[in-house]
Amino acid sequence: MPVPDLPVGAPPATPPATPTAPAPTGPRSGLDPAIAARLRRGADGLVAAVVRQHDSGEVLMVAWMDDEALHRTLTTGRATYWSRSRREYWVKGATSGHHQYVRSVSLDCDGDALLVSVDQVGPACHTGNRSCFADHLPVTGLHDPATAPSEHPATAQSNPAHVRPETPAVTR
């Protein structure tokens, strides 16, 4: 069942001095203090949010969250981010109709990045592409794909106990 669009914060009365000024943080956030204590924010108070399609694992985009954006995401089920350029919260799809319905949120081992798994409606990228990662760069240092990581000289020296699996690993 669709969730109605959430209001997006009003634009600031005056333009910010810099587009990377800190996002609002502190006691105004309703984020669970136990979760907030696990976050390692950048100097700007933000944590990177890597967004992927929940069922395919396709990486869709990267955005930024502060404590309040994470709180809103966890409690509404709608992906909410902090816009560094507009200095306001934005709910993905509020203006474009390309909603992100949140299935899960995971914190990485260092606490400095989030993995947001979503049901993406329409394209995730503002350019109209499904993914923001459509601009592939050439990699010229490819090794032979038939060479397993355990057989690669650099890997073998750094991890001699690595065992080559019988079947390829599946990432969900």
Side-chain angles (χ1 to χ4, degrees), residues 6 18 27 30 46-47 78 103-104 111 122 130 134 139 142 151 163 168-169:
L6 300 173
T18 62
L46 302 174
V47 175
R78 296 288 301 281
R103 289 297 200 89
S104 68
R130 168 111 178 123
V139 177
L142 291 175
E151 296 168 357
V163 178

Side-chain angles (χ1 to χ4, degrees), residues 148-150 162-170:
S150 63
H162 178 74
V163 178
R164 183 176 178 181
E166 294 291 321
T167 58
V170 175

